[in-house]
């Protein structure tokens, strides 16, 4: 197994970085590459993905509070992982908070602190559902932002 990094393209082209997942390289193994001629990659099994397909590349934080509600299911249709930050306003001194469900699996929870706020941050893979529920009490949605 090997991770394929910084495969140079032809002269004058921009280099790309690749992330390998479960990739096995078989003969021939590349020991050096010049920027002239034709590059023939070794046979691979597994998945190669551009690093730019990952979270944070060509994405910006967007405040989506006005289009989000608690206990409502949303779907990541961006084709890339997204990161979400949700802050709930809870009654001061009351034990309330947020519970996060991604694709039917509970992945995080936050309880209110002395300041009456509960915060959760989570990642949603492409094509998966997500929602934030109140795990107790009646908190209100303060801020919902997504890196998308």
């Amino acid at each position: 197994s090997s991770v394929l990094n910084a495969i140079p393209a032809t002269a004058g082209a921009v280099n790309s970085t690749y992330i390998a997942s479960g990739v096995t390289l078989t003969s021939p193994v590349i020991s050096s590459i010049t920027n002239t001629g034709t590059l023939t990659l070794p046979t691979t099994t597994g998945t190669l993905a551009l690093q730019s397909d990952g979270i944070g590349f060509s994405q910006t934080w967007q405040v989506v509070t006005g289009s989000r509600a608690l206990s409502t299911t949303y779907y990541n249709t961006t084709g890339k992982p997204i990161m979400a930050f949700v802050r709930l306003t809870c009654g001061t001194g009351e034990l309330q908070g947020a519970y996060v469900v991604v694709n039917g699996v509970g992945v995080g929870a936050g309880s209110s602190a002395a300041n009456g706020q509960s915060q959760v941050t989570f990642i949603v893979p492409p094509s998966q559902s997500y929602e934030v529920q109140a795990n107790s009490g009646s908190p209100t949605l303060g801020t919902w932002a997504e890196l998308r």
Side-chain angles (χ1 to χ4, degrees), residues 47-72:
T47 303
L48 289 178
L50 283 174
Q51 186 176 16
S52 61
D53 289 339
I55 193 162
F57 286 89
S58 299
Q59 293 176 309
T60 58
W61 280 104
Q62 299 174 29
V63 177
V64 294
T65 310
S67 62
R68 296 290 186 263
L70 296 177
S71 300
T72 302

Side-chain angles (χ1 to χ4, degrees), residues 8-121:
T10 58
V14 176
N15 291 345
S16 297
T17 300
Y18 293 82
I19 298 173
S21 172
V23 174
T24 302
L25 298 179
T26 57
S27 188
V29 174
I30 300 171
S31 59
S32 67
I33 301 172
T34 63
N35 61 4
T36 59
T38 303
L39 169 64
T40 302
L41 293 175
T43 305
T44 63
T45 58
T47 303
L48 289 178
L50 283 174
Q51 186 176 16
S52 61
D53 289 339
I55 193 162
F57 286 89
S58 299
Q59 293 176 309
T60 58
W61 280 104
Q62 299 174 29
V63 177
V64 294
T65 310
S67 62
R68 296 290 186 263
L70 296 177
S71 300
T72 302
T73 302
Y74 300 98
Y75 294 88
N76 177 2
T77 59
T78 67
K80 294 176 68 168
I82 62 173
M83 182 174 201
F85 166 80
V86 178
R87 181 181 48 81
L88 303 182
T89 301
C90 308
T92 304
E94 296 177 358
L95 184 58
Q96 301 175 353
Y99 181 70
V100 179
V101 178
V102 175
N103 218 40
V105 177
V107 297
S111 59
S112 61
N115 64 1
Q117 295 182 355
S118 176
Q119 301 176 59
V120 288
T121 304

